[in-house]
Amino acid sequence: MHDDVWGIIPVRYASKRFPGKPLTPILGKPMFYRVYEQACQCDQLERIVLATDSDQIAAHARKQGVPVVMTRGDHPSGTDRVREAAEKMGLPDEAVVINIQGDEPALHPDMLTELIGPFSDPAVQVTTLIRREARRVDSDPNQVKVVVDKAANALYFSRADIPMDFTGPKTPWYRHIGLYAYRLPVLRRFVDLGPGTLERIEKLEQLRLLENGIPIRTVVTRHRSQGVDHPGDVAIVQQLIQQRHQ
């Protein structure tokens, strides 16, 4: 198990689809704090910080005792924000950095442990989680699918229904869960490379790594999570959290 792992939760106030999302109450607690609480239950992380460009979010976080790193406001993605925070924190090159999505309040702490596990292999540079799901007749483009090789490295991610099944009965597929862990030099390289062609087409930033020959090791998780993309997702997430507690 790797012993130098840091968790960074990137959040911003401005959002076209859901302004102020990180402050949205989830069963009485701000969404960002729900994520932080869950992450803190993973005892393999050196430290967990919130990375934000919002003074309002930072003030709320400090009141809750959450460590904050202030970042620029012009980042095109959460990964860019994570990289800036990692540099500001002065993390060593051998560090593993987990990008903990700030809109995953139903995160199970074991999912972070699962992300960290493969880094005992020095060849592993990036990890992410996938979950086996029943294939639907009408594929949802918001649920990203992934196909993997025999070593569990990702071959491709898509919003389309992959692999296409011509064998008859619908077979299960793997759904991608958007949590990532990176060795710090690869996180730097990811940001410096800039968006690739497939990434622009699919609107999936992880394809930038595959386009540049950087393997992504996948880990199958049994845990279910639910991101909050729209206000309507809040009720779904709250129900999932309540079911878990029961």
Side-chain angles (χ1 to χ4, degrees), residues 20-38:
K21 180 167 67 171
L23 299 177
T24 301
I26 304 291
L27 297 175
K29 298 179 181 179
M31 186 184 306
F32 77 83
Y33 189 70
R34 281 274 175 195
V35 176
Y36 177 77
E37 261 189 336
Q38 291 301 104

Side-chain angles (χ1 to χ4, degrees), residues 208-227:
R208 187 185 313 182
L209 296 167
L210 299 188
E211 283 189 86
N212 288 280
I214 301 170
I216 303 174
R217 178 66 55 84
T218 67
V219 182
V220 178
T221 182
R222 64 182 176 83
H223 297 291
R224 187 176 296 280
S225 189
Q226 170 70 45

Side-chain angles (χ1 to χ4, degrees), residues 1-232:
M1 197 65 71
H2 202 280
D3 58 1
D4 195 8
V5 185
W6 303 73
I8 300 178
I9 306 170
V11 295
R12 64 191 182 109
Y13 189 90
S15 171
K16 290 181 181 178
R17 291 187 296 180
F18 197 166
K21 180 167 67 171
L23 299 177
T24 301
I26 304 291
L27 297 175
K29 298 179 181 179
M31 186 184 306
F32 77 83
Y33 189 70
R34 281 274 175 195
V35 176
Y36 177 77
E37 261 189 336
Q38 291 301 104
C40 284
Q41 293 180 50
C42 177
D43 59 8
Q44 295 175 39
L45 274 66
E46 192 81 20
R47 192 183 182 205
I48 303 162
V49 304
L50 196 75
T52 187
D53 60 340
S54 165
D55 291 332
Q56 187 176 351
I57 292 174
H60 278 274
R62 292 184 180 113
K63 284 181 184 177
Q64 302 273 6
V66 178
V68 177
V69 175
M70 296 303 297
T71 57
R72 302 198 319 267
D74 59 349
H75 287 305
S77 74
T79 309
D80 297 77
R81 195 177 307 284
V82 167
R83 187 262 179 94
E84 184 191 352
E87 302 290 12
K88 282 193 167 184
M89 292 163 67
L91 301 188
D93 281 350
E94 60 271 18
V96 168
V97 179
I98 302 183
N99 179 352
I100 305 173
Q101 305 287 352
D103 57 3
E104 292 274 350
L107 170 75
H108 195 292
D110 286 353
M111 297 167 82
L112 302 181
T113 302
E114 291 167 342
L115 273 177
I116 297 165
F119 287 98
S120 58
D121 178 353
V124 172
Q125 301 298 307
V126 184
T127 63
T128 194
L129 296 183
I130 62 177
R131 179 182 166 89
R132 191 177 176 92
E133 300 278 6
R135 191 184 292 260
R136 292 191 176 91
V137 175
D138 296 319
S139 182
D140 180 359
N142 293 314
Q143 290 202 351
V144 177
K145 296 83 177 174
V146 58
V147 288
V148 302
D149 66 17
K150 291 184 178 180
N153 291 318
L155 290 170
Y156 193 65
F157 298 86
S158 181
R159 298 183 183 278
D161 200 6
I162 58 171
M164 179 60 70
D165 185 3
F166 287 106
T167 62
K170 290 294 184 181
T171 56
W173 46 257
Y174 287 108
R175 173 189 175 189
H176 179 228
I177 296 174
L179 286 165
Y180 302 91
Y182 306 84
R183 294 191 192 273
L184 183 54
V186 176
L187 175 59
R188 291 190 187 113
R189 189 180 172 203
F190 174 92
V191 174
D192 292 342
L193 282 168
T197 303
L198 293 173
E199 174 183 358
R200 292 190 185 97
I201 292 170
E202 292 260 18
K203 299 291 189 289
L204 297 174
E205 67 175 17
Q206 64 270 32
L207 291 174
R208 187 185 313 182
L209 296 167
L210 299 188
E211 283 189 86
N212 288 280
I214 301 170
I216 303 174
R217 178 66 55 84
T218 67
V219 182
V220 178
T221 182
R222 64 182 176 83
H223 297 291
R224 187 176 296 280
S225 189
Q226 170 70 45
V228 178
D229 295 320
H230 305 278

